[in-house]
Amino acid sequence: MLRAAGLDFETSAAHVDEEALTASLLAAGQTPRNIADALAEAKAVKISSRLPGVTVIGADSTLALDDGTMLSKPESPEEAADHLRRLAGMCHRLFSAAVATRDGAPVWRAIGEAKLWMRPLSDGFIADYVAREWDSIRWTVGCYEIEGAGVQLFEKVEGDPWTIIGMPMLPLLAWLRATGLAPK
């Protein structure tokens, strides 16, 4: 998304134990929204601490069912099919957070929220979809890429597409322009 927006940047893996951090935050009663924010911050702070004077942006997303239950990225095609069966015919919310840090401390953050209504799906459709799309959906919290074949799963969507894809881009770009880190 950042490259498509015309930004130059480098990437670096933060190597944050997302599962352990998420479990800890859930145990402390944190909401899926706050967990997305905390994960994005943890990634950015870890890298920013090693790169003095450099602005680092971390991002993460969480998916919550209406009852507050969070789903994580699937570890197998079978788990992806299970997730899709749980989501089918229901509404869920996606929270996508971006946190900018400098010298190991947050300097800016934004959290986007989208609501998505998945249409009812047959077991046959789910099996075919997962078999066809597994290589790309295995990295996604909702087992779909809405910018691709995943759009077929939905009957209604509320929220900006960038939040759904994984980052609150419009607020991020506005901040980058305001701070001189992106062209005005």
Side-chain angles (χ1 to χ4, degrees), residues 84 117-119 121 125 129 143-144 150-155:
L84 290 170
W117 287 262
M118 196 172 279
R119 67 183 181 86
L121 304 171
F125 179 89
Y129 172 80
C143 304
Y144 56 82
V151 71
Q152 295 182 40
L153 305 175
F154 296 94
E155 54 189 25

Side-chain angles (χ1 to χ4, degrees), residues 5-53:
L7 299 177
D8 291 324
F9 61 95
E10 294 178 29
T11 61
S12 180
H15 302 292
V16 170
D17 187 343
E18 295 182 44
E19 288 181 29
L21 181 55
T22 298
S24 173
L25 292 166
L26 283 170
Q30 290 297 315
T31 64
R33 179 187 188 281
N34 291 345
I35 292 171
D37 182 50
L39 290 168
E41 181 177 320
K43 292 174 184 180
V45 164
K46 187 166 184 184
I47 294 170
S48 172
S49 297
R50 299 186 312 244
L51 301 171

